[in-house]
Every structure is written in structure tokens, then in C-alpha cells.
Amino acid sequence: SRTPQSMYVTDSPVPFFPWRISQVEDYEVFEKKKKAEREQKEKEVKAQQMKEKEMKEKGKPGHEKKGKSKKSQPAKPRTAFKLFSEHHPGKPREQILELWAALTETEKEEYKTKAEEDDERYKQEMEEWKAENPPEAQGKAVKKERRAW
């Protein structure tokens, strides 16, 4: 049988608290379970981080890119005001607006003709682009034929 002194462990994990042997064994089992739980949680966190990293690289499911992106399309045509503002870089928009308002119609006409030329350029480039890229490659849904009921 055990003596009262053998019932206590002197080198217990908690200082100055005499643990009974059965309590120490329970504590060791408890620590092993906690360690296993911590390791499992770390594995889950790492798996989630890897999954998020893959999602970031691939994109969201169901949001796959279709064909060529819009970046490959021709640049949109510039307006007369946009062409005017390009001749005044670094100035605030409010100041450019005041300068635009102060222009006479004949001065504005120069920018309007350039804008029309740019519009023609855009239309021509867009026709070429559409000829090279079928609707599927443009990212547009192809219309399905309607059923005759």
C-alpha cells in the first residue's frame, strides 16, 4: 500500500502544489490531448491559408475569365474636353474647367474636330477587333435560339 509521502509528487509542474499521482497522470493525459488539439488546429489553419492563397491566384469559383480581357480592346474615344485637358497637365480640374469655359466656339472647334477624328479611329479599331475576336472570345454570352412552342 502507498504511504502518505508516496501519494505526493515533489517535482510537480505547478510550483509548491503537491499533486497526487493520479492527478499528475490525469494532467499528463490532459496535456497530450491539448497538444494534439493545438497541432490539429494549426494544420487546419495552414490548410485554410493554402486554400485562400490558391483562391487568390485562381480567382473566385464561377468567376473565370472568359476569352480576352477588355484591356485588349481599343482605347475609348476621347472627348473634346479630354483632349483640351491633356494640353494642360498638372493643373487642377477646376482650373481646366474655367479655361474651357473661357474658350470661344472657334477655339473649341479645333478640339471638337480632333475628338471626331479620334471617334472615327475608335470605330475602325473596334470593327477590326470584333472581326478578330468572335463573341465567345469577347466575354459575351452567345444568344441561344428561341424554341418555338
Side-chain angles (χ1 to χ4, degrees), residues 47-59:
Q48 181 65 26
Q49 288 173 346
M50 291 296 290
K51 190 175 180 181
E52 288 173 0
K53 186 178 180 181
E54 288 176 12
M55 291 280 284
K56 201 174 201 180
E57 290 172 0
K58 288 183 181 178

Side-chain angles (χ1 to χ4, degrees), residues 73-110:
Q73 290 184 359
K76 299 273 184 184
R78 296 172 292 178
T79 62
F81 177 76
K82 179 69 176 167
L83 291 166
F84 176 76
S85 64
E86 288 174 359
H87 288 289
H88 301 281
K91 291 187 179 179
R93 185 172 173 83
E94 294 79 26
Q95 190 177 7
I96 295 172
L97 283 169
E98 290 173 6
L99 292 171
W100 177 255
L103 288 178
T104 63
E105 281 300 317
T106 55
E107 293 171 327
K108 287 183 182 179
E109 198 62 38
E110 176 189 342

Side-chain angles (χ1 to χ4, degrees), residues 37-75:
E37 287 175 6
R38 257 186 268 124
E39 289 172 356
Q40 181 64 27
K41 185 71 175 176
E42 287 174 4
K43 286 179 184 177
E44 290 172 4
V45 168
K46 284 183 181 179
Q48 181 65 26
Q49 288 173 346
M50 291 296 290
K51 190 175 180 181
E52 288 173 0
K53 186 178 180 181
E54 288 176 12
M55 291 280 284
K56 201 174 201 180
E57 290 172 0
K58 288 183 181 178
K60 293 181 181 179
H63 294 271
E64 291 84 17
K65 292 183 179 180
K66 299 176 185 175
K68 294 184 178 182
S69 66
K70 288 187 176 182
K71 290 181 182 175
S72 64
Q73 290 184 359

Side-chain angles (χ1 to χ4, degrees), residues 112-143:
K112 289 179 182 178
T113 54
K114 287 182 182 178
E116 289 172 3
E117 290 170 5
D118 197 44
D119 191 41
E120 291 299 320
R121 177 219 35 104
Y122 173 73
K123 287 178 183 176
Q124 182 183 0
E125 287 179 4
M126 197 64 183
E127 287 175 8
E128 292 171 5
W129 185 82
K130 284 183 180 180
E132 293 172 1
N133 300 295
E136 297 86 22
Q138 294 175 21
K140 294 183 180 178
V142 179
K143 291 185 179 179

